[in-house]
Amino acid sequence: MSGGCPYFEKRHLLFKSKLHLEEEEEDDSQEGINKASKGGIIYGDYLQLDKVVTAQVLQSELKGNKIHDEHLFIVTHQAYELWFKQILWELDSVREIFISGHVRDERNMLKVNTRIHRIVMIFRLLVDQFAVLETMTALDFYDFREYLSPASGFQSLQFRLLENKIGVLDNLRVPYNRRHYRDNFKGHESEMLLRSEKEPCLLKLVEKWLERTPGLEEDGFNFWVKLEANIFEGLSLEKNKIEKMQDSEEKEEMMEEMTKQKELFTSLFDVKRHEHLLGKGERRISYKALQGALMIYFYREEPRFQVPFQLLSNLMDIDTLMTKWRYNHVCMVHRMIGSKAGTGGSSGYHYLRSTVSDRYKVFVDLFNLAMFLIPRHWVPKLDPNEHTFLFTAEYCDSSYCSSEDSDSDTVSTV
Amino acid sequence: MSGGCPYFEKRHLLFKSKLHLEEEEEDDSQEGINKASKGGIIYGDYLQLDKVVTAQVLQSELKGNKIHDEHLFIVTHQAYELWFKQILWELDSVREIFISGHVRDERNMLKVNTRIHRIVMIFRLLVDQFAVLETMTALDFYDFREYLSPASGFQSLQFRLLENKIGVLDNLRVPYNRRHYRDNFKGHESEMLLRSEKEPCLLKLVEKWLERTPGLEEDGFNFWVKLEANIFEGLSLEKNKIEKMQDSEEKEEMMEEMTKQKELFTSLFDVKRHEHLLGKGERRISYKALQGALMIYFYREEPRFQVPFQLLSNLMDIDTLMTKWRYNHVCMVHRMIGSKAGTGGSSGYHYLRSTVSDRYKVFVDLFNLAMFLIPRHWVPKLDPNEHTFLFTAEYCDSSYCSSEDSDSDTVSTV
Amino acid sequence: MSGGCPYFEKRHLLFKSKLHLEEEEEDDSQEGINKASKGGIIYGDYLQLDKVVTAQVLQSELKGNKIHDEHLFIVTHQAYELWFKQILWELDSVREIFISGHVRDERNMLKVNTRIHRIVMIFRLLVDQFAVLETMTALDFYDFREYLSPASGFQSLQFRLLENKIGVLDNLRVPYNRRHYRDNFKGHESEMLLRSEKEPCLLKLVEKWLERTPGLEEDGFNFWVKLEANIFEGLSLEKNKIEKMQDSEEKEEMMEEMTKQKELFTSLFDVKRHEHLLGKGERRISYKALQGALMIYFYREEPRFQVPFQLLSNLMDIDTLMTKWRYNHVCMVHRMIGSKAGTGGSSGYHYLRSTVSDRYKVFVDLFNLAMFLIPRHWVPKLDPNEHTFLFTAEYCDSSYCSSEDSDSDTVSTV
Amino acid sequence: MSGGCPYFEKRHLLFKSKLHLEEEEEDDSQEGINKASKGGIIYGDYLQLDKVVTAQVLQSELKGNKIHDEHLFIVTHQAYELWFKQILWELDSVREIFISGHVRDERNMLKVNTRIHRIVMIFRLLVDQFAVLETMTALDFYDFREYLSPASGFQSLQFRLLENKIGVLDNLRVPYNRRHYRDNFKGHESEMLLRSEKEPCLLKLVEKWLERTPGLEEDGFNFWVKLEANIFEGLSLEKNKIEKMQDSEEKEEMMEEMTKQKELFTSLFDVKRHEHLLGKGERRISYKALQGALMIYFYREEPRFQVPFQLLSNLMDIDTLMTKWRYNHVCMVHRMIGSKAGTGGSSGYHYLRSTVSDRYKVFVDLFNLAMFLIPRHWVPKLDPNEHTFLFTAEYCDSSYCSSEDSDSDTVSTV
């Protein structure tokens, strides 16, 4: 729209109901008619530019020492916050689809996937956006940074909400200066944060959804049991092959490797080990959900799983881009204030570095499943003639889906 | 700062004057002390987030039919406007340096160049930003576009100011629906636009600066006359060589080419032709300024001209990126509303396409000088022992520079 | 892999068949064992770096006047050609899936969509890649450009193949210097180009696929007839509303707009007009395919159409990015050689500009369908209980699909 | 050039010497004349595309199991290697300018800065390039990764050369699997690497250059001594102010902060501490060079220091982008193979993570100087009337500069 986009041809007035036209006529009478707007809203009012582009107040100027570059500093951070708001908007809408149960109507999968992908695209922009702020040198920044104290990015409410709603865990956060992150916020904001921690985060909602992956049913296809059988049969065959090899260094190495593989896959099917890793925060989703994710991975080409597979990829993209964002942030801070802010005490640079960690990766399990990939012929065969769930999507109308006691995962509309 | 940047260590309080501390203490007493801020300003207040992230009001929601994607539409345009504000901020500061004459103090060249480069970096981001809006499909847009009428990007005040301040000419603008572009604006805004047309734009300021390029002085190095002599001597020598070739198709072609070259360079040294092209808008800067630009091109490695040469490159980058921005905009509009908005009448798509034109390229002369490049040995020799201006920068203190009648271009402080 | 990626753990040796191990042992005996590679292939050999990073021969150096920046020029163009090869690789594989009929097995849709999306991502990179070449100024380029004559990007075989295989039409190409584009190529290459023009291009294959869109069947859901009825009923109702309005300027405008709308939609359902536009190159796909595309647009949320809808979006992305690539190219050429190469004759710059045109947009129909969007309640209702095709994907095994006479579009495997 | 760029107009034939024309005529006679090339070279031959775009041999295909995505894997890595070659080309040319002493002729500073900036732009592209490879999922990669063993990015000769030539230190490298990095290479390559470690790296050359920064001379402006005096006087004044404040928690905090500041700056002027940090690898340049860098920082607006300041910024950009490249690489590896390759032994993922460390930041001192910034009025005053070196660049002809015993830093040509 900016810069001359005449999207809004008169034709669209056509489809407005009488009611709306009347409302607008009233508006006209209040505002007076000007050349730019005859009924309806004009660009600047629509975007509330009187608020947005007047919100740049330089502290340095207030203190009588206007520093040119502070304007860039403000605008960049405001742009970040605008986009954080948009991410929250998408995130909340997706969470709502999951929470309400509408996700069971697979017509909503396109929407879910598109909105998650949009978050990906926004984060990609935010990562690039550092290049603009980096046109400010440490020396330019030094000239006004004293006036900003104690304002700090720690106090970005939206960023913390965003982390919580995606699924960053309170107890996995790195503490800064021994303070709880919520202590940086006023009462009202602190409550919002607490509430966001208690609401179901994206990770938990995706977990529930993964647990319902068709094919996991023990009285149905029973994926997990079939998979375990295939893997160990496959490993056994490989072992036999190796044993028949002539003695050599290579044979020894392969035997050693075989042992490791067996241990690895044994651990995969060990529910207790899963619980142990969950406790340490090294795994983040339930054992059933893990199975669902692997099922989607292996059968991703089945019509039913194509969009779910894209969704899992997009969730990994979000994690990756958030961690790249954090890392770009670290790099910028290093340039702006060096590696230590003082000779003693905690350093902002080192704190930020510590958040570029797998502890902050929410969908870490989706990445780590790459350790458990297997040759295609080890994947349990699925006959579409028998298992129609592979290509038959699930519909449900809203009345049905919102019912809390609905646990049926079978195709209900056919 | 966003997302946890503790730039603002207490140490900086150190350098605050007593006065400032007192002011802050007063602020405290008014606001009450909270955990987040003990003296000084906190993040959300500093960025006025109460204004910025509350300015997203969906027209579709007001009309009782909330459409999810309208939020993206609003935020994207607000982000554009935020960055337009930043570009104007940089642009005004650079224009001020030129207008005040401070540009004669070459210590200011780093500042000028850095700020122009920053505009380049912002435009680069703005071009990329379309990728986010493009996650909205034409169908999603259709669902709310009727509510926006008649708001239109034509009404972006800041974009028009930006164009005017860089140097887009009123009489070179493509009219839309036979209306003058200022007619899209309210009285107050229309006056701002008119004023911006009358103030010296970046193009005009750069032109004045180029006219003062050392080396152009007729009683000094007299670059232009020397250049003309060298070029025609060079061409003459080449012609002789060709004439000595054996008759062949190639010889004929080269002879033909030689004639064209001679015409081309004859036109370069023809001031009347320059005036003619100026009149048509095909050239935009004075004859003298053109000479200055070519001088900087040819002697770009001389210490005195290194930063000026970077500046000319950055100015071309701005032009290029603005035209890419326009073209990306066109592409998005094509996707959103198709190539025609109706069966008759003017089309927004075609209007926008027509603005992706060299008529909107402000620094078009800097590009077109590429037609007049010559072999290095044709460039008039400049002996640094004789012409010290090549490596001796010009200083001037502000009292001197602001004097209107100063036309001296010689080095004044040594 | 570059820069230290140890992807290739020994474990994978495990899954190699005996046969492969033997092959490698043989290789070993031929090559000799070194520290870096004990059986198997090493990085540099795998990537054939002896060919790739030794292919930079500077013409300027051969001519005894080595110009530093020519290396950048060569490497950039080689990188473009590498990526063109990758695009052709993806394009051919997708075309093969369509040609062989495998596309009827909807398990292949993920593959098709992913590969088309990969082309999108590559083009995005290629657009950005200009920023690297733009670090070379016109003056740097001038120093070696004479040595390159008559080499020219016109002679990029892969780019022409790529255009042909996507669907740029020979008769819509802008001629350069009155020569046919194939005349720039040697005999062998010219034949490859001719062959690529005759093979089914992506556009034609997508067209055939769109024509089979379920729901178009006249003896089935009969989308097109239902749509026409709904639209004209809708317009009629709107017209009635307007007629009841009090006389006013607005009423008149709306009535005028109504007439235009009616004309617009009348044209949509006029097959003769479609044929007329096809003849002029303003439409590029068949009438039936157009209907299929609109059907996918309107029912994009149905499980069966989610991935097809993504595919259509990705195809538009390819078109958009190719046109952006062309435009970035134009901008670079303007900077490098100015707007005219001589005082007379044709200009490379203006030729290139003329290719940034909708004539070169292959999937132009997908964009222009945005002109025919309608309110959601005008879209014909589709009851999933009645029309199971909406959520039931089509499988077919390869023996079936490759049969030429298969025209059935109903779900065949269930 | 690709895709239709007619850069190479006939006119340029004009400037070719007779000799060259003859050579080309001979070429013609050998090759025969075809439509595409009448004398001179054609595109495909110029770029040696017969080597570059035929170098994609899939191991999976050789092993009888062609996996589509291996082609992307190969092309991506070849593109990386092409760009690494270009970076080495720029790096070597810049090092040559420094080594030969030509850097003393300040006409060469534009060249140095432009080429370093080009490396920055290439790295920016390389960081973005991961987005293309990430269109390949872990599952696609799994299908062919076994065939690649033991090829590994560890074996990228060019990347290791690049690291060495910039200045990554052998003893600061993280060992992988307890092997020295050179052990991954064949004899010839290993020698190249060893040689590159012994040649002067960019860091060392920049260090030497910084040590010569005008203004450091003890018998001249004597920057370091003046700076020390000013800082401690400034701190003392601040301390006095604080002492006069009323007792309060704030006063205590400020006093504490003051102590830290004093310690910090005391450490800056402590040459022994510098040597200690050098020994630990926490500082990388000499004490004198550190002083030069800070001098350039503080007086960056002086004409003499504008381009040097840009150079320092660009060097930091290289460091930052290399570390971002490493981090993006880590993220991709996590996605491709998970966090552990086996249940025991070393993990490629964790190794790569460990290289995203300040140990691999070559110009770490330039970043860390941000800890020692001071208010503008503490910076020692420099009167241009007295110290002409601030605006008078140094020339020297090559005969002079190459003389080893030249240690004069004063302006020598005037």
Side-chain angles (χ1 to χ4, degrees), chain A residues 9-18 21 24-25 38 106-111 113-114 117 121 124 235 238 241-242 244-245 249-250 253-255 257-258 261 264-265 300-307 309-310 370-375 378 382 384-385 388 390-395 411 413-414, chain C residues 9-18 21 24-25 38 106-111 113-114 117 121 124 235 238 241-242 244-245 249-250 253-255 257-258 261 264-265 300-307 309-310 370-375 378 382 384-385 388 390-395 411 413-414:
Chain A
E9 310 298 327
K10 281 177 198 153
R11 59 176 286 223
H12 306 300
L13 287 169
L14 229 58
F15 306 127
K16 286 185 184 174
S17 78
K18 193 83 188 77
L21 287 172
E24 279 155 24
E25 276 155 20
K38 189 173 59 183
E106 295 181 29
R107 285 177 291 194
N108 285 311
M109 282 308 291
L110 182 69
K111 207 175 278 173
N113 194 45
T114 302
H117 177 66
M121 295 304 283
R124 224 183 270 280
L235 286 173
E238 290 294 331
K241 273 192 212 164
I242 300 171
K244 281 175 199 150
M245 285 171 70
E249 198 186 334
E250 190 173 14
E253 277 181 18
M254 288 177 80
M255 219 48 192
E257 194 50 38
M258 169 57 70
Q261 285 296 307
L264 178 72
F265 282 108
R300 64 196 179 282
E301 295 190 340
E302 300 299 332
R304 191 80 181 281
F305 288 159
Q306 293 180 3
V307 176
F309 180 68
Q310 293 176 338
M371 292 188 287
F372 303 108
L373 301 184
I374 50 173
W378 291 15
L382 242 171
N385 289 309
T388 56
L390 286 174
F391 57 87
T392 321
E394 188 179 342
Y395 274 59
V411 184
T413 54
V414 218
Chain C
E9 311 299 328
K10 282 178 198 152
R11 60 175 285 225
H12 305 301
L13 287 170
L14 229 56
F15 306 128
K16 286 186 183 172
S17 78
K18 193 82 188 80
L21 287 173
E24 280 157 23
E25 278 155 18
K38 190 173 59 184
E106 296 181 29
R107 284 176 290 194
N108 285 311
M109 283 308 291
L110 182 69
K111 207 174 279 175
N113 195 45
T114 301
H117 177 65
M121 294 304 283
R124 225 183 268 280
L235 286 172
E238 289 295 330
K241 272 193 211 162
I242 300 170
K244 279 174 199 151
M245 284 171 71
E249 198 187 333
E250 190 174 14
E253 277 180 16
M254 288 177 80
M255 218 50 190
E257 194 50 39
M258 170 55 72
Q261 285 296 306
L264 178 72
F265 283 108
R300 65 197 178 280
E301 295 190 340
E302 300 300 332
R304 190 79 181 280
F305 289 159
Q306 293 181 2
V307 175
F309 180 68
Q310 294 177 337
M371 291 187 287
F372 303 108
L373 301 184
I374 52 173
W378 291 16
L382 242 171
N385 288 310
T388 55
L390 286 174
F391 57 87
T392 320
E394 188 179 342
Y395 274 58
V411 183
T413 53
V414 221

Side-chain angles (χ1 to χ4, degrees), chain A residues 319-320 323-324 326-327 330 352-361 364, chain C residues 3-6, chain D residues 154 174 176 323 325-334 338-340 347-360:
Chain A
D319 249 2
T320 300
T323 195
K324 286 180 186 175
R326 291 181 203 274
Y327 191 62
V330 167
L352 285 173
R353 265 203 86 95
S354 70
T355 70
V356 185
S357 148
D358 287 355
R359 297 169 76 172
Y360 281 76
K361 266 195 183 168
V364 66
Chain C
C5 167
Chain D
F154 280 114
V174 178
Y176 177 61
T323 195
W325 189 89
R326 291 180 203 274
Y327 192 61
N328 278 23
H329 190 196
V330 166
C331 291
M332 195 194 58
V333 170
H334 193 193
S339 70
K340 289 177 192 174
S347 136
Y349 171 66
H350 287 107
Y351 162 74
L352 285 172
R353 266 203 86 95
S354 71
T355 70
V356 185
S357 148
D358 286 354
R359 298 169 75 171
Y360 282 76

Side-chain angles (χ1 to χ4, degrees), chain D residues 144-159:
Chain D
F144 66 92
R145 74 183 192 195
E146 57 164 315
Y147 303 122
L148 277 45
S149 176
S152 154
F154 280 114
Q155 299 158 359
S156 170
L157 176 65
Q158 292 196 123
F159 189 76

